Amino acid sequence: MWGTIHQLISHYIDQPFNDTRCRPVSGGDSHKAVVLSNGNQTFFIKINEHSALPQFFAEVDGLKHLDAVGIATPKVVDLGTSSNHSFLILEHLELDAIGSEHWRSVGQTVAKLHQSQHQAMFGWQEDNFIGPTLQANQWTTKWRQFYTQQRVGCLLDAFVQKFGGNINVNRVLSHIHLTISGHRPAPSLLHGDLWFGNIGIVNDTPYLFDPAIYYGDREVDLAMSELFGRFPEPFYQAYHEVYPIPRDYEFRKPIYQLYPLLNHALLFGGHYVTAVRDIISSFDTH
């Protein structure tokens, strides 16, 4: 594997990439991550089993589409496989600490992303992934139908099968469908997995990582930004200045937080299972 990685990097930089040093880094929960350097040039490598190659293809697709609408992302060097592994090679970014003014820039950047509304339907050109979880993206004209069926529905079924309980899946989905039935959002380009770990600052410029990209209601990204540690207030102030947040967003926020919580519950269990049950209990749909 490492010989192939060295060859791909050598081709990318158009010179030999030898005498390298490798150190493991925290790269999220989906893949092993390392930083590979020859002392002058450094690259960020994600590594997983061979079967994870579709996840890397989806990540490259998301990064390229973010870049196409003017969002800064790490440059993709290449991706490939060995007999037992798949890997993604990205440029290595030296991230700065995120201060208050940076969070204003992040808010403006995300608002700009959400103003990318070049699609009349909800979904994406192909299914992709949120973390290691397959994410359905069949084009759909009605947002309530897309979110109910292709986001919450399949994960809620899996949740009940894995953890049991007295959850009435049909009643939960009917509640969600009814709650957002009068909501008519424009299909906005979403990051899809917007939390602290997927944002960085390089030379005062916000970068976005690890997208689970699709066209959907922009409030989904905002709801997730409040879920795993709410972003600092300057983010929301700057976002609202560029693209005002609807007054009734708070009414829909718990529904939009259910999808990432379901995903985390299925992946990690623990308190995420309780969080899912708490949100569903607030619907009073048993």
Side-chain angles (χ1 to χ4, degrees), residues 143-156:
W143 169 246
R144 63 184 183 272
Q145 180 180 343
F146 178 88
Y147 186 73
T148 302
Q149 295 180 0
Q150 299 193 60
R151 288 296 176 264
V152 175
C154 55
L155 294 193
L156 187 56

Side-chain angles (χ1 to χ4, degrees), residues 194-216:
L194 192 68
W195 69 289
F196 279 97
N198 289 338
I199 295 170
I201 298 294
V202 179
N203 296 326
D204 294 327
T205 298
Y207 277 66
L208 299 185
F209 317 131
D210 298 336
I213 197 169
Y214 67 99
Y215 282 94

Side-chain angles (χ1 to χ4, degrees), residues 7-285:
Q7 289 176 5
L8 292 173
I9 294 176
S10 296
H11 178 75
Y12 177 78
I13 64 177
D14 197 27
Q15 58 181 297
F17 186 70
N18 300 319
D19 301 322
T20 58
R21 296 184 298 275
C22 179
R23 61 179 174 87
V25 294
S26 175
D29 300 301
S30 300
H31 313 288
K32 175 184 177 182
V34 301
V35 169
L36 193 62
S37 176
N38 65 358
N40 296 314
Q41 294 160 302
T42 306
F43 298 89
F44 184 77
I45 320 292
K46 294 185 176 185
I47 304 167
N48 209 322
E49 297 178 355
H50 195 283
S51 59
L53 184 61
Q55 296 179 40
F56 291 140
F57 274 115
E59 181 173 347
V60 169
D61 177 65
L63 291 172
K64 288 183 176 179
H65 277 86
L66 291 179
D67 178 72
V69 297
I71 306 300
T73 64
K75 291 183 175 63
V76 176
V77 175
D78 214 328
L79 75 170
T81 61
S82 65
S83 57
N84 297 316
H85 296 90
S86 59
F87 53 85
L88 172 62
I89 310 170
L90 301 167
E91 71 167 327
H92 178 254
L93 300 174
E94 292 291 343
L95 301 181
D96 303 324
I98 306 181
S100 177
E101 282 306 306
H102 293 138
W103 279 112
R104 284 192 56 83
S105 297
V106 174
Q108 294 164 351
T109 296
V110 174
K112 174 185 175 182
L113 171 64
H114 290 167
Q115 287 175 325
S116 299
Q117 298 172 348
H118 309 301
Q119 176 54 243
M121 294 190 290
F122 301 97
W124 193 241
Q125 58 200 26
E126 57 189 4
D127 295 345
N128 54 21
F129 297 85
I130 179 166
T133 303
L134 186 66
Q135 183 168 259
N137 286 317
Q138 183 176 349
W139 291 114
T140 308
T141 57
K142 293 182 173 59
W143 169 246
R144 63 184 183 272
Q145 180 180 343
F146 178 88
Y147 186 73
T148 302
Q149 295 180 0
Q150 299 193 60
R151 288 296 176 264
V152 175
C154 55
L155 294 193
L156 187 56
D157 280 334
F159 179 89
V160 172
Q161 291 174 15
K162 185 171 184 177
F163 300 110
N166 62 338
I167 295 173
N168 186 319
V169 172
N170 288 333
R171 291 187 65 184
V172 172
L173 297 182
S174 295
H175 172 82
I176 293 173
H177 193 277
L178 180 62
T179 301
I180 61 177
S181 62
H183 183 46
R184 301 286 190 272
S188 293
L189 190 59
L190 306 184
H191 179 278
D193 196 5
L194 192 68
W195 69 289
F196 279 97
N198 289 338
I199 295 170
I201 298 294
V202 179
N203 296 326
D204 294 327
T205 298
Y207 277 66
L208 299 185
F209 317 131
D210 298 336
I213 197 169
Y214 67 99
Y215 282 94
D217 182 359
R218 64 191 175 108
E219 293 178 7
V220 171
D221 271 354
L222 294 176
M224 190 168 185
S225 77
E226 297 192 58
L227 184 56
F228 304 119
R230 190 176 190 269
F231 290 179
E233 193 57 34
F235 168 87
Y236 302 99
Q237 293 172 348
Y239 181 101
H240 187 74
E241 290 168 6
V242 176
Y243 197 177
I245 301 171
R247 292 183 178 181
D248 54 353
Y249 154 68
E250 293 290 333
F251 178 66
R252 291 179 290 274
K253 181 169 68 175
I255 286 174
Y256 290 160
Q257 290 179 333
L258 180 57
Y259 174 62
L261 280 174
L262 281 166
N263 186 42
H264 275 66
L266 290 167
L267 292 174
F268 309 118
H271 69 278
Y272 296 116
V273 177
T274 303
V276 167
R277 295 191 186 280
D278 288 344
I279 285 186
I280 291 174
S281 294
S282 74
F283 298 163
D284 192 25
T285 56

